[in-house]
């Protein structure tokens, strides 16, 4: 009886999450992880057809954050308004197409 040999998977060891004290290592790690995060956000946007936003808050004051929150709220309201307007336009177009088709059916009979 022959036994199949199991392939060993290459698995990265778990790393302990703690603050990096070395300034150079910290900057390199931050830069690399930010690039990966940006790529993942882009992938998510493409794969799921989603709007994705990343906001880096490093070095921002409280007043900057309040201003950013206000801008985001305004943008969100604008997007919601656009969706409502788009829905209304789609409904209007559908009704006009329906009326046109009904007229064509009446004229055909």
């Amino acid at each position: 009886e022959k036994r199949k040999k199991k392939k060993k998977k290459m698995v990265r060891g778990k790393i302990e999450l703690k603050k990096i004290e070395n300034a150079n290592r910290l900057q390199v790690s931050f830069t690399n992880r930010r690039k990966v995060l940006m790529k993942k956000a882009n992938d998510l946007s493409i794969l799921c057809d989603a709007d994705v936003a990343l906001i880096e808050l490093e070095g921002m004051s409280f007043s900057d954050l309040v201003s950013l929150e206000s801008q985001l709220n305004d943008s969100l309201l604008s997007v919601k308004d656009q969706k409502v307007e788009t829905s209304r336009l789609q409904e209007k177009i559908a009704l006009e197409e329906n009326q046109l088709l009904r007229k064509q059916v009446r004229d055909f009979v």
Side-chain angles (χ1 to χ4, degrees):
E1 169 181 323
K2 292 183 181 178
R3 292 185 180 176
K4 292 183 181 178
K5 291 184 180 179
K6 291 184 179 180
K7 291 182 181 179
K8 291 187 178 182
K9 294 181 181 179
M10 294 292 291
V11 180
R12 291 186 191 185
K14 288 187 177 182
I15 61 167
E16 181 183 350
L17 290 180
K18 64 180 182 179
K19 183 177 179 191
I20 300 170
E21 299 298 331
N22 180 299
N24 289 334
R25 279 191 52 217
L26 185 134
Q27 186 60 42
V28 169
S29 181
F30 179 81
T31 302
N32 289 338
R33 287 176 178 258
R34 180 173 46 195
K35 284 180 190 174
V36 170
L37 183 60
M38 296 288 244
K39 183 177 183 327
K40 294 286 185 185
N42 186 52
D43 292 351
L44 179 64
S45 174
I46 293 168
L47 292 172
C48 300
D49 193 26
D51 293 330
V52 178
L54 295 175
I55 302 169
E56 189 175 332
L57 301 176
E58 183 181 1
M60 293 184 79
S61 69
F62 181 75
S63 61
D64 291 338
L65 291 175
V66 169
S67 174
L68 178 61
E69 179 187 27
S70 175
Q71 290 173 19
L72 290 172
N73 284 335
D74 291 347
S75 296
L76 183 60
L77 289 174
S78 174
V79 168
K80 285 181 180 179
D81 289 346
Q82 288 175 3
K83 285 185 176 183
V84 167
E85 186 61 32
T86 300
S87 294
R88 286 182 185 152
L89 280 172
Q90 289 172 336
E91 184 179 350
K92 182 179 177 185
I93 290 169
L95 287 172
E96 288 173 356
E97 287 176 353
N98 185 302
Q99 289 174 349
L100 180 62
L101 289 171
R102 285 176 187 264
K103 184 180 182 308
Q104 289 174 347
V105 167
R106 279 192 303 256
D107 291 348
F108 184 72
V109 176

